[in-house]
Amino acid sequence: MTPLVTITGLDKSFPGVQALKKASFELLPGEVHALMGENGAGKSTLMKILAGIYQKDAGTIRVDGASVDIPSPRAAQDLGISIIHQELNLMNDLTAAQNIFIGREPKRTLGLMLDEDALNRDAAAIFARMNLKLDPRREVGELTVAMQQMVEIAKALSFRSKVLIMDEPTAALNNAETMELFRIIRQLKAEGVGIVYISHKMDELKEISDRVTVMRDGAYVGTLPTASTTMDTIISMMVGRSLTETKEAIPDSIGNDVVLEVRNLRRGHAIQDVSFSLRKGEILGFAGLMGAGRTEVARAIFGADPLDGGEIMVRGSTVAIRSPRDAVRLGIGYLSEDRKRFGLATGMDVATNIVMPCLRRFLSLGMFLKSREIRDTARSYIARLKIKTPSDSQEVRLLSGGNQQKIVIAKWLTRDCEILFFDEPTRGIDVGAKNEIYKLLNTLAAQGRAIVMISSELPEILRMSHRIAVMCEGRLTGILPGEGTTQEDIMRLATQRHSTTATGSTTSAAARELTQ
């Protein structure tokens, strides 16, 4: 069988970084081939070269056995290669059909007018091939993230793609949506499409992939059949050592000091009478299905979204938080789930991003930057958080997603916030970096910081939390202890659409705890 893609000896360098070193990869027709490695291992760079976004410095790419150069994304599409990025590239104000065929719209007679009927008909045909029930006339901005993901896949198929690259495709999907995506993937696989699947979720790889290739530090490590390979083997290949996944002891030094208390927060249907407290040195996990309102609660407390009503108390005093600036002044920091949009200035360097929340501290005479102090501070956090960057002057956009996440954490640590909201802190981060962030959160809690950790990964919630607050459809349906709670306990509350006395003692205990 002739491989769809064969990559050998690929090199690629950026200023101060050699991203790829003699990298290799192979993709067969009708294969789901997982590509794994720690953040910064070179996975995305390798695939962006295949997709024509970056150009190689050296090496060979063969498509259907023929050596090719891929100077642009259009050249890749002409070869039948499409990529679906982790951050979706869709225009919210256009319809699904318009997004799929943008720049290639069918025209009416003489080519002067768009043929909207043909546009919608062609899009509907692709949706039918995918067994997807979606009106092609729906605006993309009205769709869920999962449906937007399907529109991206439909767009790739409209190019008659035989190679489909998926970068963290389930990062923003819940379990049901992930299963629907897997159904589409299996269907494409049966049609002979080769799929490169980049993910840090180990359980997904076992379910969906045929082979797995591991990269480390920009180089090829090895390729193994997924079915006969243990996750421990893959992890060892990724990090160059064995890595235990045992639960670390979370700090037990929770004081009685309540540093944050919210009462009856309300904001439309997104937040409905939510109340909870947070103690010094505590990690309070927030669980729930997508759309439950967890992020909305965090953003409202941080002043990013207005509230309809309710009370917020910081260290026992009622406060008015009308903007993020108010929250930061009160010692509250928020690490957004969308780090690139809300957490970073990606066009600026690492040092500037790290000191940004407290830039006034680094001014002399109120107008001159203390450059040496900025560099020293940045370098201390680069070392402390093990941020992989050639220097503190490197642009953030050139770093991997996991290292970008660490920079956001460093930013709030520099500000010395007492209350920290971590919204999906390990999304898109490899298993090695996850362990580092877990250790960091435990260290912060041991130092007396109060932490709210929002996560869609239940094992992560159970591993890290002193208590677990569960939300469903804008309501807080219960608060469970971290010890002794199971995933089933959490899911029972996460699907409890209305809190009633029929739920028994757990809900009653949670209700009592809300005011403690």
Side-chain angles (χ1 to χ4, degrees):
M1 180 186 297
T2 302
L4 285 174
V5 173
T6 305
I7 298 173
T8 54
L10 222 62
D11 289 345
K12 178 64 179 178
S13 293
F14 297 102
V17 180
Q18 186 171 359
L20 296 177
K21 310 165 190 173
K22 305 298 180 187
S24 301
F25 186 76
E26 179 189 75
L27 180 67
L28 301 175
E31 175 186 38
V32 179
H33 196 141
L35 183 58
M36 296 200 68
E38 293 188 275
N39 289 102
K43 309 181 300 295
S44 294
T45 300
L46 184 65
M47 290 300 105
K48 285 178 179 178
I49 289 173
L50 182 58
I53 298 167
Y54 296 153
Q55 278 66 58
K56 60 184 172 64
D57 295 336
T60 303
I61 301 174
R62 294 183 179 275
V63 176
D64 288 330
S67 181
V68 297
D69 285 319
I70 310 176
S72 66
R74 176 56 63 90
Q77 290 165 352
D78 291 341
L79 290 167
I81 301 169
S82 293
I83 184 169
I84 299 174
H85 298 276
Q86 184 176 355
E87 288 85 16
L88 301 180
N89 294 312
L90 297 172
M91 300 184 186
N92 288 339
D93 294 330
L94 298 183
T95 68
Q98 289 166 344
N99 268 280
I100 290 170
F101 292 105
I102 190 164
R104 304 174 292 135
E105 298 87 350
K107 305 290 179 60
R108 294 187 183 277
T109 307
L110 301 178
L112 298 177
M113 299 288 290
L114 295 181
D115 190 341
E116 288 285 346
D117 291 338
L119 182 77
N120 293 325
R121 192 164 54 246
D122 292 345
I126 299 174
F127 293 156
R129 174 186 170 189
M130 297 168 63
N131 291 325
L132 183 65
K133 295 181 180 178
L134 174 62
D135 185 345
R137 297 166 296 183
R138 284 278 302 277
E139 286 190 6
V140 162
E142 299 174 355
L143 303 178
T144 64
V145 173
M147 292 305 292
Q148 290 180 5
Q149 189 83 266
M150 300 306 175
V151 173
E152 283 276 28
I153 295 174
K155 184 176 181 179
L157 295 180
S158 73
F159 289 100
R160 292 184 170 85
S161 299
K162 54 190 174 186
V163 175
L164 187 57
I165 303 164
M166 295 184 169
D167 192 353
E168 296 287 351
T170 63
L173 306 186
N174 61 31
N175 287 339
E177 292 164 341
T178 297
M179 291 303 102
E180 178 63 14
L181 175 64
F182 285 179
R183 181 189 67 77
I184 299 291
I185 289 174
R186 292 188 180 100
Q187 183 176 327
L188 296 175
K189 175 182 171 181
E191 296 175 5
V193 176
I195 297 169
V196 183
Y197 193 91
I198 302 174
S199 177
H200 295 306
K201 297 183 179 179
M202 298 288 181
D203 55 333
E204 291 183 0
L205 303 184
K206 278 291 187 182
E207 182 166 353
I208 200 64
S209 70
D210 301 297
R211 290 191 294 167
V212 55
T213 287
V214 177
M215 296 182 68
R216 185 171 69 244
D217 297 329
Y220 172 82
V221 176
T223 299
L224 297 169
T226 307
S228 59
T229 303
T230 67
M231 291 297 102
D232 286 343
T233 299
I234 294 173
I235 292 170
S236 180
M237 291 170 69
M238 285 171 56
V239 302
R241 64 188 188 280
S242 62
L243 186 68
T244 59
E245 279 288 338
T246 55
K247 178 175 179 177
E248 299 173 29
I250 59 176
D252 57 4
S253 56
I254 302 177
N256 292 321
D257 297 339
V258 175
V259 294
L260 175 69
E261 185 174 359
V262 300
R263 298 175 180 173
N264 306 114
L265 293 192
R266 301 185 305 281
R267 184 172 186 267
H269 294 291
I271 306 173
Q272 301 182 51
D273 290 316
V274 169
S275 302
F276 67 90
S277 63
L278 179 67
R279 294 176 176 85
K280 182 177 181 179
E282 179 179 30
I283 300 176
L284 176 63
F286 256 71
L289 301 177
M290 190 170 294
R294 298 165 301 164
T295 293
E296 287 78 2
V297 168
R299 284 178 56 85
I301 293 172
F302 191 62
D305 296 325
L307 283 166
D308 295 336
E311 184 180 14
I312 300 174
M313 301 178 70
V314 176
R315 293 178 288 277
S317 299
T318 300
V319 297
I321 302 178
R322 298 183 179 87
S323 70
R325 179 174 293 181
D326 293 337
V328 172
R329 285 172 178 163
L330 290 164
I332 302 173
Y334 174 51
L335 187 147
S336 169
E337 63 177 334
D338 189 343
R339 57 180 172 259
K340 289 187 178 179
R341 185 179 177 190
F342 297 117
L344 294 165
T346 56
M348 302 182 79
D349 61 44
V350 173
T352 302
N353 273 274
I354 288 176
V355 303
M356 194 174 293
C358 50
L359 202 55
R360 291 181 184 275
R361 189 196 307 169
F362 297 93
L363 290 178
S364 176
L365 302 177
M367 58 189 299
F368 299 108
L369 288 174
K370 300 176 182 177
S371 299
R372 177 174 291 182
E373 289 187 27
I374 290 174
R375 286 197 304 271
D376 290 345
T377 299
R379 288 169 184 172
S380 69
Y381 281 107
I382 288 170
R384 178 178 170 186
L385 301 185
K386 300 178 183 178
I387 299 170
K388 293 180 181 178
T389 176
S391 73
D392 57 273
S393 61
Q394 178 82 319
E395 284 189 26
V396 168
R397 65 182 179 85
L398 297 176
L399 301 183
S400 68
N403 287 302
Q404 290 177 351
Q405 189 80 310
K406 290 181 183 180
I407 290 169
V408 181
I409 295 172
K411 179 177 78 171
W412 292 119
L413 294 183
T414 304
R415 180 72 196 193
D416 199 27
C417 292
E418 181 184 3
I419 301 165
L420 291 165
F421 284 81
F422 287 84
D423 196 347
E424 302 288 359
T426 65
R427 174 172 289 172
I429 290 180
D430 63 78
V431 65
K434 278 187 177 182
N435 274 4
E436 291 176 7
I437 288 180
Y438 295 154
K439 290 177 182 176
L440 173 62
L441 293 181
N442 283 336
T443 299
L444 294 174
Q447 293 172 352
R449 313 281 176 104
I451 296 170
V452 173
M453 186 186 73
I454 301 169
S455 177
S456 298
E457 297 187 28
L458 295 186
E460 182 170 87
I461 285 283
L462 291 168
R463 173 177 179 169
M464 294 299 299
S465 306
H466 292 99
R467 292 183 300 153
I468 301 165
V470 188
M471 293 191 67
C472 178
E473 295 183 350
R475 292 181 172 86
L476 197 152
T477 51
I479 296 182
L480 302 168
E483 287 295 328
T485 295
T486 66
Q487 294 192 34
E488 290 75 17
D489 295 331
I490 295 174
M491 288 305 298
R492 194 173 297 117
L493 289 174
T495 55
Q496 182 178 299
R497 302 189 64 172
H498 296 287
S499 181
T500 66
T501 55
T503 57
S505 60
T506 298
T507 303
S508 299
R512 288 195 300 272
E513 188 172 9
L514 296 179
T515 57
Q516 292 179 354

